[in-house]
Amino acid sequence: MREPNTTTTTMAGGPNAARINAELVARLERLPLTRRLTLIRVVIGSATFFDAYTVLAIAFAMPQLSTEWHLNAGEIGMILSAGYVGQIFGSLFFGQLAERIGRLPVLLITILLFVSMDVACLFAWGATSMIIFRFLQGIGTGGEVPVASAYINEFVGAKKRGRFFLLYEVIFPVGLMFAGIAGYFLVPVVGWKAMFIVGIIPALLTIPMRWLMPESPRWLASRGHIHKAETVVAMLEKEARKAGHTLSDPVVRPVDPKATARTSWRELFSGIYKKRTFMIWMLWICVYMVNNGLITWLPTLYKQTFNLPLQTSLAYGWVTSAVGVVASIVCALLIDRVGRKRWYSWAFLAATVPLVVLTALGAVSATQVVVFASIAYAILQTISFSLYLYSAELYPTRLRAIGTGFGSAWLRAGSAIGPILVGYIVDNYGISFVFTVFAAVALIGGLITIFFAIETKGRVLEELSP
């Protein structure tokens, strides 16, 4: 079969660019999952794994660190939140940069930044220095995930996108769980610095990212680099045929000329994207305020509030991370059948139940907290880890990285508020009131989903977002 001729180089924008882009999209949509796509998922997934590990490493270092540095609840909350505040700036800045210079260069920059600050944390000498280093590290981690999410989404067809992307994204909660395992085995023996030594490993990922991975063909086409986009798509087609796959004829659907036009962040707040933008912001805030408030504070609460031994406190924290991984895998396998809107509605509302039960019981024992907080966390984790998929589906290629970056900036805001809020409530009202507030936040998230979210399952990205 003769492939559509897309080798002409053209400037972004205009009907000719839209036609060529439509042909490239049609060829991408029919591609099977090849070794190259698997390599992309593994390498980017590894980066995201250590991003997650880096985010939570401080939570499992904190029970020992708080004792060694004689930290109060306010200082603990500030250290836990500093990284998330940095992530706000990272997601905003690097999301915009990825639209200008490409996905891969930004991913390399963000990985090097959060690794270098991981090294700096080893030399922190008190609360202030740790807050500064974690803030700078957060700039890198905040930029990596939304850009990685846009990159992964842009290679996969509509019918396979949900499962393919979420089986990649599952690596994030696995990274969180790994932080718990490392904390359990390393901190009591080696000390809190061990958590940051492990975080140096992802520097090695820059080698395959630099030499073995192609730039997103959708991004290349959107910037007018049609010849380069054609080269990437042709390479993927050649590898698919070499692996024995038979490619069907590409089904070319019209692509709106705006898909290849230049734009700015202001488009996020106009037309159909205005409602989507505010809706996804609220979902990010609600789910991460609860989940990161829980997961970052629980090991310290077990040790300080319930006076459990350090290793037991870390083990209980790991249990919560582990059930989140199981729930995430279930979500990855089923969300293409259930749909994004229906899943999120049910999950938000279901999570309020264990939080209300914990409030009613008074959260008077560590056993109550580890059981019911873990259930709530696991349910909400299916939302938090898959919102990157949903965010990327809500925007066109010209806005995907910046839209996901802006949205996930509110993830960071919610994540920063959560630990500070827990510290304030525990100091002034007691632990049980924490779960009352979190139940209310989860309920708000469910109502927003029901009334304002749209369904995206099984639809081509260019059809969802012209």
Side-chain angles (χ1 to χ4, degrees), residues 180-350:
I181 295 173
Y184 179 80
F185 287 105
L186 296 180
V187 172
V189 178
V190 184
W192 62 268
K193 289 187 177 182
M195 297 299 294
F196 296 99
I197 294 173
V198 174
I200 299 172
I201 296 173
L204 300 174
L205 297 174
T206 59
I207 299 172
M209 287 182 67
R210 177 67 180 83
W211 301 109
L212 300 178
M213 295 173 58
E215 183 56 90
S216 161
R218 277 182 159 105
W219 177 82
L220 289 169
S222 74
R223 300 296 291 185
H225 306 305
I226 301 299
H227 180 71
K228 292 181 180 179
E230 150 68 21
T231 301
V232 173
V233 174
M235 176 193 67
L236 295 173
E237 290 171 335
K238 181 180 179 180
E239 291 180 350
R241 292 192 182 94
K242 188 175 180 180
H245 296 285
T246 300
L247 300 181
S248 60
D249 291 340
V251 179
V252 181
R253 299 176 176 86
V255 172
D256 194 303
K258 288 187 298 183
T260 53
R262 301 293 172 87
T263 189
S264 74
W265 59 269
R266 294 176 181 84
E267 193 181 354
L268 295 173
F269 308 99
S270 64
I272 64 171
Y273 302 116
K274 181 178 180 179
K275 186 178 84 167
R276 296 184 186 186
T277 293
F278 288 116
M279 177 272 297
I280 199 67
W281 286 8
M282 291 305 300
L283 297 193
W284 282 118
I285 291 172
C286 290
V287 73
Y288 272 89
M289 185 185 298
V290 178
N291 261 23
N292 278 16
L294 288 174
I295 198 67
T296 55
W297 257 102
L298 285 177
T300 303
L301 286 176
Y302 293 136
K303 186 174 186 296
Q304 292 192 346
T305 303
F306 298 110
N307 299 313
L308 296 181
L310 173 62
Q311 203 150 12
T312 304
S313 301
L314 297 173
Y316 279 15
W318 177 84
V319 167
T320 302
S321 298
V323 295
V325 172
V326 174
S328 298
I329 293 172
V330 172
C331 174
L333 297 175
L334 298 179
I335 198 167
D336 273 340
R337 296 182 186 178
V338 177
R340 286 52 153 166
K341 179 173 181 175
R342 183 183 299 177
W343 189 288
Y344 295 163
S345 302
W346 291 353
F348 268 123
L349 298 179

Side-chain angles (χ1 to χ4, degrees), residues 7-280:
T7 57
T8 304
T9 301
T10 182
M11 293 301 292
N16 190 46
R19 175 185 61 78
I20 296 172
N21 190 51
E23 293 172 349
L24 286 169
V25 167
R27 292 165 64 188
L28 280 172
E29 286 291 319
R30 66 178 177 159
L31 286 174
L33 301 182
T34 61
R35 288 185 179 179
R36 178 76 62 169
L37 293 179
T38 301
L39 172 68
I40 290 171
R41 180 165 61 180
V42 168
V43 175
I44 298 297
S46 299
T48 300
F49 172 91
F50 281 102
D51 188 313
Y53 171 87
T54 300
V55 167
L56 201 56
I58 190 66
F60 291 94
M62 188 56 68
Q64 186 182 76
L65 198 61
S66 61
T67 301
E68 183 177 322
W69 287 354
H70 308 290
L71 303 174
N72 58 41
E75 290 173 323
I76 293 171
M78 289 295 291
I79 293 173
L80 293 176
S81 295
Y84 297 120
V85 175
Q87 289 171 34
I88 296 173
F89 293 94
S91 58
L92 292 174
F93 173 73
F94 286 116
Q96 295 184 72
L97 189 63
E99 303 294 9
R100 296 183 60 188
I101 69 172
R103 293 10 178 170
L104 283 181
V106 169
L107 288 172
L108 288 167
I109 294 169
T110 57
I111 290 171
L112 292 174
L113 179 57
F114 75 69
V115 169
S116 62
M117 286 302 104
D118 196 86
V119 174
C121 287
L122 290 169
F123 300 96
W125 57 89
T128 301
S129 60
M130 183 63 82
I131 289 170
I132 293 171
F133 294 150
R134 288 289 294 175
F135 171 78
L136 295 173
Q137 186 178 49
I139 294 175
T141 56
E144 188 272 330
V145 176
V147 175
S149 300
Y151 179 73
I152 290 285
N153 263 286
E154 288 167 359
F155 277 95
V156 189
K159 294 182 179 179
K160 303 178 286 289
R161 187 173 61 243
R163 176 175 292 196
F164 179 88
F165 179 81
L166 291 186
L167 286 177
Y168 141 75
E169 190 67 20
V170 150
I171 204 68
F172 194 87
V174 171
L176 299 178
M177 183 178 71
F178 179 73
I181 295 173
Y184 179 80
F185 287 105
L186 296 180
V187 172
V189 178
V190 184
W192 62 268
K193 289 187 177 182
M195 297 299 294
F196 296 99
I197 294 173
V198 174
I200 299 172
I201 296 173
L204 300 174
L205 297 174
T206 59
I207 299 172
M209 287 182 67
R210 177 67 180 83
W211 301 109
L212 300 178
M213 295 173 58
E215 183 56 90
S216 161
R218 277 182 159 105
W219 177 82
L220 289 169
S222 74
R223 300 296 291 185
H225 306 305
I226 301 299
H227 180 71
K228 292 181 180 179
E230 150 68 21
T231 301
V232 173
V233 174
M235 176 193 67
L236 295 173
E237 290 171 335
K238 181 180 179 180
E239 291 180 350
R241 292 192 182 94
K242 188 175 180 180
H245 296 285
T246 300
L247 300 181
S248 60
D249 291 340
V251 179
V252 181
R253 299 176 176 86
V255 172
D256 194 303
K258 288 187 298 183
T260 53
R262 301 293 172 87
T263 189
S264 74
W265 59 269
R266 294 176 181 84
E267 193 181 354
L268 295 173
F269 308 99
S270 64
I272 64 171
Y273 302 116
K274 181 178 180 179
K275 186 178 84 167
R276 296 184 186 186
T277 293
F278 288 116
M279 177 272 297
I280 199 67

